[in-house]
């Protein structure tokens, strides 16, 4: 008899808490749809009480994404729990995840509560959640720095109040695999009741995956993970690493089965990277673009003879085929939309026309495009599901070099009207960004800039990710082109369009608040 290891994905909650990440509702929905395609068991869609935007995203996901159970995070106070339920209740199956800090450090410095108060909060918060749903998770935050006796008292109180999953968060990444495994075993042996034990490991010492696996070996049957290992500070355990470790080393996890469709791992990783603006390191396990690349002659020789000489994972089993050429400059609109559909990208109407026009433009310059190229084009062109760009780039002219001041001129289109502007800059990229600022009237500060190539090879598309801060509105943007200056300008414009959307939403909400008594 096999036992399911529940994959609880928290990319949209803990992952979104990574510095500089701010996803809008459309982007969260797009990621949630892909997580459903990947086959995770749970999607923690957000922390509904944190902001109106978070609430709306969790609600939208609960209303539309089918397959995984939709969970929301909540503090123990009753109003938070009710608000969380309001957001997740639309799903076919919903979970409320209640947490409270239990370590002396957090109780003293953050909660300003006594242990007795924390115990009472646990009971009331879990009991309230249980009034709404019979799927309730409880987490004693900072568990690995909590005295064992107190943690056991709190956990037993949570189960007695109705918790069905006990999650043991290594909030600050303090655990060491054998120590964390022993903690999970201790909980399993000493807390009575019908519940599933879960791990939630942060990566401050680079041990999040190892700690999660030690937890599974000790009896945990849920792992909380994030795509690409995103999350607070150094991140959370990486979904792709934990899943593949259990699959590839099944001998170490006898009888444990994981439901994830691993062929979707690479695409999920690329989508999350693109929408969060967090690049994936080249040598990242499983989804990094070098994970199946062999450099030394001896390795190349071995892999050509038989890939198992230096590869323990079959690249196609994790969807690492992004370098396959799929379309070229002679491909028509039909082949283009057909290929997108096969890739799971449902683009229609004006968005499809715009993406096709851009594809043609790039195919003319690059000749052949891969799946990864197409994903990047579509993402840049439509900037998230159903999101119309405010400004589109009509043309860009740049001059620069070692002599004279770099200068750029852009022509943008908004609602059919052209706006143009010119500007000088410290370099050609800076000049292009300054010209965009002048043309859009949006004064955004560039806080991060990253350039890489979508695929390998000398004719690869340049892929630029930027993060902007416009009066506290933090957004990321991405642009691709065969020309890095153009890719940078497109990324800057892509992010600027997000600022326009965020401002429009904020103004609309303010108008609603004005007329609501
Ligand atoms: O790291 C942590 O403790 C958390 C909890 C809210 C589960 O993210
Ligand atoms: Zn966490």
């Amino acid at each position: 008899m096999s036992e399911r290891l529940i994959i609880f994905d928290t990319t949209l909650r803990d992952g979104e808490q990574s510095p500089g990440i701010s996803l809008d509702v459309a982007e969260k929905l797009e990621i949630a749809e892909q997580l459903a395609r990947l086959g995770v068991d749970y999607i923690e869609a957000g922390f509904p009480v944190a902001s109106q935007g978070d609430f709306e995203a969790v609600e939208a996901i609960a209303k539309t994404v089918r397959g995984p159970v939709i969970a929301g995070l909540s503090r123990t106070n009753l109003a938070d729990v009710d608000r969380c339920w309001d957001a997740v209740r639309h799903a076919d199956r919903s979970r409320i995840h209640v947490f409270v800090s239990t370590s002396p450090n957090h109780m003293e410095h953050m909660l300003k509560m006594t242990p007795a108060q924390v115990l009472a909060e646990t009971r009331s918060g879990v009991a309230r959640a249980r009034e709404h749903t019979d799927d309730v998770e409880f987490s004693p935050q900072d568990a690995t720095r909590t005295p064992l006796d107190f943690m056991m008292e709190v956990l037993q109180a949570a189960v007695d109040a109705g918790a069905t999953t006990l999650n043991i968060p290594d909030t600050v990444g303090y655990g060491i695999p054998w120590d964390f495994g022993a903690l999970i075993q201790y909980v399993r042996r000493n807390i009575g009741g019908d519940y599933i034990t879960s791990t939630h490991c942060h990566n401050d010492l680079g041990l999040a995956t190892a700690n999660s696996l030690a937890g599974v070996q000790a009896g945990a049957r849920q792992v909380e993970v994030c795509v690409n290992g995103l999350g607070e500070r150094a991140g959370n355990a990486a979904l792709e690493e934990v899943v593949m470790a259990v699959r590839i080393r099944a001998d170490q996890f006898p009888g444990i089965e994981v439901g994830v469709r691993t062929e979707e791992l690479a695409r999920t990783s690329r989508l999350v990277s693109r929408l969060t603006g967090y690049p994936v390191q080249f040598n990242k396990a499983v989804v990094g673009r070098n994970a199946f690349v062999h450099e030394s002659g001896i390795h190349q020789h071995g892999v050509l003879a038989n890939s198992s000489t230096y590869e323990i994972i079959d690249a196609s089993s994790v969807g690492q085929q992004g370098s396959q050429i799929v379309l070229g400059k002679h491909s028509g609109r039909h082949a283009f939309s057909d290929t997108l559909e096969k890739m799971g990208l449902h683009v229609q109407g004006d968005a499809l026309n715009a993406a096709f026009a851009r594809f043609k433009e790039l195919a003319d310059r690059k000749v052949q495009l891969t799946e990864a190229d197409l994903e990047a084009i579509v993402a840049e062109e439509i900037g998230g599901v159903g999101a119309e760009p405010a400004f589109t780039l009509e043309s860009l002219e740049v001059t620069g070099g070692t002599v004279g001041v770099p200068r750029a001129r852009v022509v943008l289109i908004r609602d059919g009207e052209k706006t143009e502007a010119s500007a000088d800059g410290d370099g050609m990229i800076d000049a292009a960004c300054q010209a965009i600022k002048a043309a859009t009237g949006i004064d955004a500060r560039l806080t991060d800039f990253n350039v890489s190539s979508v695929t390998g090879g000398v004719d690869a598309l340049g892929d630029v990710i930027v993060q902007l801060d416009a009066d506290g509105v933090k957004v990321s943007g991405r642009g691709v082109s065969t020309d890095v200056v153009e890719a940078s300008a497109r990324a800057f414009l892509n992010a600027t369009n997000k600022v326009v959307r965020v401002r429009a939403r904020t103004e609309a909400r303010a108008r609603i608040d004005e007329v609501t008594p």
Side-chain angles (χ1 to χ4, degrees), residues 46-51 54-55 58 71-89 95-101 111 113 121 124-130 132-133 141:
F47 187 9
V49 83
S51 70
D54 246 52
F55 180 89
V58 178
L73 183 68
S74 171
R75 290 176 301 193
T76 46
N77 78 66
L78 306 188
D80 277 26
V81 176
D82 293 347
R83 182 91 175 133
C84 182
W85 175 245
D86 255 1
V88 295
R89 72 192 161 87
R95 168 181 287 186
I96 300 177
H97 175 186
V98 179
F99 78 101
V100 66
S101 287
L111 297 183
M113 279 187 198
E121 282 287 314
S124 62
V126 170
R128 180 60 150 239
R130 201 50 214 255
H132 295 303
T133 169
Q141 186 169 218

Side-chain angles (χ1 to χ4, degrees), residues 13-14 171 200 202 232 236:
R13 201 277 298 168
D14 214 326
T171 305
H200 178 106
H202 279 267
E232 288 273 10
N236 287 63

